[in-house]
Amino acid sequence: MIEANDLSIGYDGHAVQSKLTFEVPKGELVAILGGSGCGKTTLLRTLVGLLPPVAGSLSVAGLSDPSDLRGQPPFGVMFQMGALFSSMTLEQNVSLPLEVWTDLDRGTISEIARAKLALVGLDGRGGMVPSEISGGMKKRAAIARAMALDPSLLFLDEPSAGLDPSTSAGLDELILSLRDGLGTTIVLVTHELDSILHLNARCLMLDAGAGTLIADGLPGELQDGATHPAVRAFFRREMKAKT
Amino acid sequence: MEVKTVEGAPGTARRLVLSGSIGLGSVADLRERLDEACAHGAVELDLGDIGNLTGGAAAVIAPRVKSGSVRVLNVPDGVSPVLGLYLDRAAEPAGEAPPHMDLIPWLGEAANDYRERSMGMLAFLGEFGRSTVHAIRRPSTVRWQDVTSLLSRHGSDGLPINALIGFLMGLITAFQAAVQLHKFGADIFVADLVGLSLTRELGPLMMAIVLAGRSGAAISAELGTMKVGEEIDALRVMGMDPVRFLVLPRIIAVTFVAPILSIMSTMAGIFGGMLIAESLLGIPFSAFITSLKSALGFGDVFTGIGKSLVFGFIVAMIASQRGLATRGGAEGVGRATTMAVVTTLFVLIVADALFAILFNMWGI
């Protein structure tokens, strides 16, 4: 579903991470981890085509250059703050991609949008506008919007950030059910250790100091067997040693 | 997607047999066939021959299964998790559409909204009065460094557009007057008409309209964005009064640049009038200025400047109040900005009319 070879990512031609080589097969749940400012969100923005790669090759859901996207996107994206359109109701937010990319009639679109909202636990809230709902509900609605076109690949930026543990756990359950129920490939950016352990997602760990991937594996393996000090520090909640 | 309908014996369920892949593009057709079949009674949906079922299709099937009108049969293993997920979390059927808005409730809501906005403005005036008193007692609490940059942003940066509009107003007024006055041989009175109308009325009013569109909208949008971004709340929790911290510098700046902009706009207008008088009527600049001097008194200049001060205050006050009253997100900021400009224009015209009555009563 995703293939990166010697990928360098960054802004205005300046790489913040380089030599990134990894593959994400269909149906896998992958977490991009790392400390603040290591380039997690930059990698996500590159994968969804908002930033062009600085160097190397990248293929996302069959697109060799996601930044040159023309036509219906083959993936859905949930932004960190939801990025819901404030002038629209939740149902209108979810309906929008269906209105743009399908020829479905209004009634069918409305029914699908309500089903998507129900899927993320927002049944009956379709008439509300984003300013009337909580942060966790905004993230759920944003996931519903990202899933509107039934994409086989979903990108989630910090789904648990800023949420209480109970809401965060609910969101993790939702992510697992989407992966298991719909077979959706999910790539999420996070630094919430509890969430990573609960999801048991394959972890791709970036490090600002190393400027590249420093770990690739399941959280259990990394927690027990990681040799890189930054990986050990992350999984054991230790202070990072000064380099 | 292909759909085959198998009619059952009388009293038994009608069976729909689906085959092929059911993508998003087939969902509307599937929904129509299901509703059509359901209109005749219970329906059995045979999914045994389908290759793929997308979330959109499951979204349409699940609520009908949950309501009992459809029963699914022969669900393939590959499809079961998708359908199961949507069945577990199926949406409740949509309720009835809300009734159309009646006139009486609409009037009631509009009146209530107007009352709330009026109360909001009164409360804001009170807060502003308190902050002003505090600022007069302790002038060092006002952010004067903001005032200087705001004077530049709302004053000197707006000078070219104000002068251009004033110039064009003078040009138009002189042109219209020249044609009419020439018929009566009263060409020289063009100077009086242009001078008086621009100094007393058009100069201050046009300046205020431009100020409302340019500075008022900017203030309202800026404060509105700060409000929805919780920056105003951040000021409050840090013990800072947003009115003293943000509003007072803006009101001081806009109120005091308004007369300067009005004077510049009026001067540009008079210059435009002089050009028309000279080119159309052959009135030399010196004759125009002599006539202008005799027509314009100190009272006329004073009324123009006085009105500009008040107009500037009105623009800044309404823009700030609407900005701080912003609710919601980006749409709320847009609504607050529109409301600020529209309300300001209305209040400016009303204030101008009041000035006309007062000046007439006072004989100015």
Side-chain angles (χ1 to χ4, degrees):
Chain A
M1 194 55 83
I2 299 176
E3 274 184 47
N5 279 308
D6 266 340
L7 181 71
S8 294
I9 56 165
Y11 293 88
D12 303 323
H14 300 291
V16 294
Q17 289 282 331
S18 9
K19 296 192 187 306
L20 304 176
T21 299
F22 60 88
E23 277 184 30
V24 178
K26 193 172 184 315
E28 192 166 48
L29 176 56
V30 174
I32 300 171
L33 319 177
S36 299
C38 71
K40 300 187 296 289
T41 299
T42 308
L43 176 57
L44 184 84
R45 291 175 74 82
T46 308
L47 294 176
V48 301
L50 290 173
L51 286 173
V54 174
S57 69
L58 176 66
S59 166
V60 178
L63 293 172
S64 56
D65 183 4
S67 64
D68 189 30
L69 180 65
R70 288 169 199 182
Q72 183 182 330
F75 47 74
V77 185
M78 186 215 85
F79 288 92
Q80 196 172 346
M81 306 301 289
L84 297 171
F85 301 114
S86 61
S87 58
M88 296 179 181
T89 62
L90 301 188
E91 188 178 316
Q92 287 167 338
N93 264 285
V94 180
S95 299
L96 189 65
L98 293 160
E99 285 167 10
V100 173
W101 294 112
T102 70
D103 296 325
L104 298 173
D105 59 278
R106 193 175 287 270
T108 309
I109 287 177
S110 172
E111 188 167 344
I112 294 174
R114 279 187 284 109
K116 300 284 177 189
L117 287 168
L119 197 65
V120 297
L122 292 174
D123 192 17
R125 316 262 184 168
M128 299 175 97
V129 290
S131 59
E132 295 172 333
I133 60 175
S134 68
M137 288 161 85
K138 277 182 194 158
K139 294 199 176 192
R140 285 171 174 273
I143 292 176
R145 187 177 66 180
M147 289 169 36
L149 294 166
D150 296 328
S152 52
L153 175 60
L154 208 54
F155 291 100
L156 311 174
D157 190 5
E158 305 268 13
S160 306
L163 302 181
D164 64 85
S166 164
T167 310
S168 175
L171 214 64
D172 290 344
E173 286 303 323
L174 174 65
I175 291 167
L176 288 173
S177 64
L178 294 179
R179 198 253 329 246
D180 299 338
L182 305 179
T184 311
T185 309
I186 299 174
V187 176
L188 56 101
V189 164
T190 184
H191 50 220
E192 303 282 327
L193 189 55
D194 289 343
S195 180
I196 296 161
L197 295 172
H198 183 220
L199 291 171
N200 195 30
R202 174 185 155 203
C203 301
L204 296 176
M205 188 160 180
L206 302 174
D207 183 60
T212 190
L213 270 177
I214 54 168
D216 182 351
L218 290 171
E221 299 163 7
L222 299 176
Q223 205 167 19
D224 299 330
T227 51
H228 196 289
V231 181
R232 253 197 342 257
F234 185 90
F235 280 96
R236 294 177 189 176
R237 289 181 180 272
E238 291 168 351
M239 291 277 285
K240 196 174 166 184
K242 283 184 182 173
T243 50
Chain B
M1 178 193 79
E2 280 183 35
V3 184
K4 200 166 72 183
T5 308
V6 180
E7 295 287 349
T12 60
R14 177 180 287 205
R15 179 178 290 200
L16 293 182
V17 183
L18 304 187
S19 57
S21 179
I22 309 175
L24 258 184
S26 321
V27 174
D29 186 30
L30 171 65
R31 184 169 176 261
E32 197 181 327
R33 300 292 289 267
L34 281 174
D35 285 345
E36 196 182 284
C38 288
H40 296 97
V43 174
E44 288 176 344
L45 190 64
D46 191 334
L47 303 176
D49 292 335
I50 64 167
N52 179 33
L53 185 78
T54 56
V60 167
I61 297 170
R64 286 162 179 79
V65 173
K66 204 175 179 189
S67 69
S69 55
V70 173
R71 195 161 71 93
V72 283
L73 306 170
N74 304 323
V75 182
D77 288 346
V79 168
S80 186
V82 183
L83 195 58
L85 186 63
Y86 277 86
L87 276 171
D88 284 348
R89 302 160 187 236
E92 293 298 326
E96 283 182 23
H100 289 293
M101 186 67 89
D102 288 331
L103 181 65
I104 304 289
W106 180 82
L107 277 174
E109 278 181 28
N112 193 41
D113 187 41
Y114 181 76
R115 185 190 66 86
E116 276 182 16
R117 270 191 281 145
S118 304
M119 294 302 285
M121 183 47 109
L122 276 177
F124 180 74
L125 278 171
E127 265 189 88
F128 172 73
R130 196 189 57 195
S131 297
T132 307
V133 170
H134 186 272
I136 290 169
R137 283 186 184 156
R138 296 177 61 192
S140 60
T141 57
V142 177
R143 289 176 58 84
W144 295 106
Q145 66 272 37
D146 283 359
V147 175
T148 47
S149 69
L150 288 164
L151 280 170
S152 162
R153 199 192 309 168
H154 298 297
S156 53
D157 292 356
L159 201 56
I161 185 68
N162 263 287
L164 178 66
I165 285 174
F167 174 76
L168 292 173
M169 286 307 298
L171 218 72
I172 295 162
T173 312
F175 188 82
Q176 294 293 342
V179 174
Q180 300 304 321
L181 292 173
H182 187 65
K183 291 179 188 170
F184 302 100
D187 296 359
I188 191 63
F189 289 109
V190 167
D192 300 31
L193 196 145
V194 169
L196 279 171
S197 60
L198 280 170
T199 308
R200 290 183 67 108
E201 285 296 333
L202 289 176
L205 194 61
M206 291 310 294
M207 175 282 305
I209 289 170
V210 174
L211 196 67
R214 194 180 170 277
S215 302
I219 290 172
S220 182
E222 188 181 6
L223 295 180
T225 308
M226 292 176 82
K227 177 79 189 300
V228 300
E230 298 183 316
E231 291 174 50
I232 305 290
D233 295 337
L235 282 176
R236 286 192 202 278
V237 297
M238 285 189 284
M240 297 177 194
D241 176 8
V243 174
R244 191 162 66 240
F245 193 78
L246 296 170
V247 173
L248 208 55
R250 281 161 179 76
I251 289 182
I252 292 170
V254 173
T255 304
F256 286 98
V257 295
I260 300 163
L261 289 173
S262 176
I263 290 167
M264 300 306 284
S265 172
T266 303
M267 284 170 65
I270 289 171
F271 178 64
M274 281 165 68
L275 285 181
I276 289 292
E278 207 275 335
S279 57
L280 276 188
L281 304 172
I283 299 170
F285 285 1
S286 57
F288 189 99
I289 289 168
T290 309
S291 177
L292 195 66
K293 274 182 184 169
S294 63
L296 271 183
F298 176 75
D300 299 317
V301 177
F302 170 76
T303 54
I305 292 175
K307 276 164 76 168
S308 312
L309 265 173
V310 175
F311 287 169
F313 180 74
I314 288 171
V315 168
M317 279 294 281
I318 294 175
S320 303
Q321 193 271 331
R322 294 312 312 166
L324 289 181
T326 303
R327 282 184 202 167
E331 190 211 8
V333 175
R335 204 169 36 226
T337 307
T338 307
M339 189 73 82
V341 174
V342 172
T343 311
T344 305
L345 293 180
F346 175 72
V347 174
L348 283 174
I349 302 294
V350 171
D352 198 37
L354 286 175
F355 273 124
I357 295 167
L358 281 176
F359 291 155
N360 184 266
M361 282 166 60
W362 295 337
I364 302 174

